[in-house]
Amino acid sequence: MPIKVGVVGAGIFGVNHLNAFRQLSYLGVAELGAVAEINDERAKWVEANYGCPVYRDYNEMFADKSIDAVTVVTPDHLHRPITVAAAEAGKHVLVEKPLDVTVEGCRAMVDAAKKANVLLQVDFHKRYDPEHMAMERRVAAGELGKVLYGSVCMEDRIEVPSEWLTAWAPSSSPAWFLGTHFYDLVRWIIKSNAKTVYAKGHKGLLRDEYNVDTWDAINATVEFENGAVFTFATSWILPKSFEAIVNQEIRLVGVKGVWEIDTQYRGSRSCMVDEGMRTWNNNFTRESVDKQGRTIYKGYGIESIEDFAYNVQAIKNGVTIESLQGTYPSGEDGLEVTKIGVAVHESVKTGSVIELM
Ligand SMILES: NC(=O)c1ccc[n+]([C@@H]2O[C@H](COP(=O)([O-])OP(=O)(O)OC[C@H]3O[C@@H](n4cnc5c(N)ncnc54)[C@H](O)[C@@H]3O)[C@@H](O)[C@H]2O)c1
């Protein structure tokens, strides 16, 4: 029996969720049962393209007993009430990153899921990138020895905050929107939580020239409990002429080796008259056609969402949530990442080194 999923928020990234569940219906794994979307135009677009009921009020969707699971793809600062309501309605929940932008919000979400005995998963899809999976496996096997330090960058082109997400970019930041991906990834790879954080932020370009009052860039140095120190460079002001919408990389150094991954330029690039120079991250999402001629998507940007559906299906078939622990990014992982995000913003504001509790 396919599980039935409802998606809350069908904006730019919500489309990946809709596609993931639509294509899982071809395999009998999941079914896109309904969508909740407050924006009329988007709601009509979903109805026309995905043929499922679209609610304006997510609570009405949660009242549908046939829906087993829900994904939350609304702006970062709106995840909490939706997730708590979904858990209280007995739905398993996948939440887009970051879980919430407050530590108490994350705790409320984790508690609500525990109380209702439902799965709470966070869409930290960097863990599903095959390059990162290989790194994690070999670091965990001790092949790099004790990890001493590393660095990460994740940067978006300026149209992301200035054209795509203008409505809520002031409630977010490069650290929330981008940094949280890599805070989670590094924690997962080195198996350690953050201990102290020092960060510096820059404001000006987006606020003064684009009228979007948010940080241009945030650079953070994080010391982990196991002694490793990582720097996280994040910004969303790369020029529109940059060759990809996102630039990203990770490197780490251990006592027995060094590993570097350029996850933006993966060796595939093009230059066309109308487009200029472009690079392609086909590991993220790539469109293809199945044997029946239906459009399907593959890649870690879809597989992390599909993983949630497989988890829910397993739970429905009798597998316990406890036994799945460690195989997916959990609410507790989301909480640890948000602790880092909160400390980063506090350090930016105060100029102090922040100790994590
Ligand atoms: N995993 C990734 O790589 C990735 C990439 C982009 C965005 N995201 C995350 O996905 C989330 C959404 O980002 P986006 O880029 O799609 O933003 P968006 O602004 O394009 O879409 C958000 C949608 O949520 C809808 N919405 C808001 N409140 C709602 C409510 N109460 N009920 C129903 N719908 C509601 C809006 O109308 C909008 O259509 C964010 O948390 C973001 O950080 C993740």
Side-chain angles (χ1 to χ4, degrees):
M1 266 286 273
I3 62 152
K4 207 164 162 187
V5 187
V7 174
V8 186
I12 297 169
F13 206 75
V15 173
N16 272 353
H17 289 239
L18 304 181
N19 289 338
F21 301 122
R22 173 161 69 185
Q23 68 193 37
L24 282 178
S25 73
Y26 307 155
L27 305 173
V29 174
E31 186 190 317
L32 179 62
V35 167
E37 171 56 64
I38 49 169
N39 178 292
D40 275 345
E41 206 180 306
R42 287 303 289 173
K44 285 190 185 120
W45 180 84
V46 173
E47 270 160 356
N49 288 281
Y50 292 86
C52 66
V54 183
Y55 297 89
R56 297 299 187 276
D57 178 351
Y58 58 79
N59 282 308
E60 283 178 28
M61 182 169 87
F62 298 168
D64 179 347
K65 294 254 181 296
S66 72
I67 291 184
D68 302 292
V70 160
T71 72
V72 181
V73 207
T74 56
D76 297 354
H77 60 292
L78 304 178
H79 294 170
R80 175 184 177 171
I82 303 170
T83 303
V84 170
E88 285 173 351
K91 316 295 182 196
H92 302 289
V93 195
L94 172 69
V95 186
E96 265 308 328
K97 41 54 53 178
L99 182 57
D100 186 45
V101 291
T102 67
V103 172
E104 63 276 15
C106 291
R107 288 211 169 103
M109 294 153 96
V110 169
D111 289 348
K114 272 215 181 100
K115 201 166 159 204
N117 195 29
V118 293
L119 176 73
L120 178 60
Q121 184 162 339
V122 186
D123 189 22
F124 288 129
H125 62 209
K126 299 278 175 230
R127 295 189 187 195
Y128 297 75
D129 183 330
E131 302 294 343
H132 295 150
M133 290 166 88
M135 181 185 255
E136 187 270 340
R137 202 168 301 125
R138 296 188 66 179
V139 170
E143 292 180 47
L144 264 80
K146 180 179 160 51
V147 175
L148 301 182
Y149 68 93
S151 60
V152 157
C153 88
M154 189 165 183
E155 298 148 341
D156 269 354
R157 284 205 313 240
I158 196 155
E159 61 260 47
V160 173
S162 68
E163 292 173 19
W164 296 8
L165 307 176
T166 39
W168 59 274
S171 305
S172 185
S173 74
W176 284 126
F177 193 68
L178 305 171
T180 48
H181 272 302
F182 276 97
Y183 304 155
D184 177 68
L185 184 72
V186 170
R187 284 182 61 251
W188 180 62
I189 289 173
I190 68 170
K191 311 290 178 228
S192 187
N193 280 325
K195 190 175 158 206
T196 65
V197 169
Y198 174 73
K200 187 90 191 148
H202 302 267
K203 226 178 214 192
L205 179 66
L206 285 161
R207 183 193 57 199
D208 301 340
E209 292 186 30
Y210 292 83
N211 203 23
V212 182
D213 190 3
T214 185
W215 297 98
D216 296 332
I218 293 183
N219 285 269
T221 302
V222 180
E223 179 197 6
F224 287 84
E225 284 167 353
N226 68 1
V229 177
F230 275 73
T231 56
F232 297 85
T234 60
S235 75
W236 45 9
I237 51 154
L238 292 194
K240 277 186 168 182
S241 52
F242 187 70
E243 60 198 8
I245 192 71
V246 55
N247 188 36
Q248 50 188 358
E249 61 191 40
I250 178 169
R251 73 186 298 272
L252 55 84
V253 176
V255 293
K256 285 173 28 185
V258 52
W259 198 323
E260 301 181 333
I261 311 175
D262 184 340
T263 43
Q264 185 269 122
Y265 180 54
R266 298 182 187 228
S268 171
R269 65 179 184 171
S270 62
C271 183
M272 296 177 214
V273 175
D274 293 336
E275 267 187 1
M277 211 66 201
R278 291 281 303 269
T279 57
W280 300 97
N281 176 3
N282 289 308
N283 278 20
F284 178 50
T285 49
R286 58 186 183 277
E287 192 176 309
S288 59
V289 175
D290 72 5
K291 304 285 181 200
Q292 286 72 34
R294 300 170 294 208
T295 300
I296 54 163
Y297 299 88
K298 292 182 177 164
Y300 65 84
I302 291 284
E303 284 154 15
S304 61
I305 301 166
E306 291 182 335
D307 183 54
F308 170 68
Y310 284 107
N311 282 339
V312 174
Q313 194 188 46
I315 292 164
K316 276 196 91 177
N317 288 335
V319 171
T320 62
I321 295 173
E322 293 69 37
S323 68
L324 290 170
Q325 248 170 29
T327 68
Y328 67 95
S330 66
E332 284 82 359
D333 290 316
L335 167 64
E336 290 303 324
V337 168
T338 291
K339 283 185 193 170
I340 301 176
V342 168
V344 164
H345 290 86
E346 203 180 325
S347 180
V348 164
K349 213 165 86 188
T350 61
S352 311
V353 174
I354 308 297
E355 300 254 356
L356 271 78
M357 302 296 171

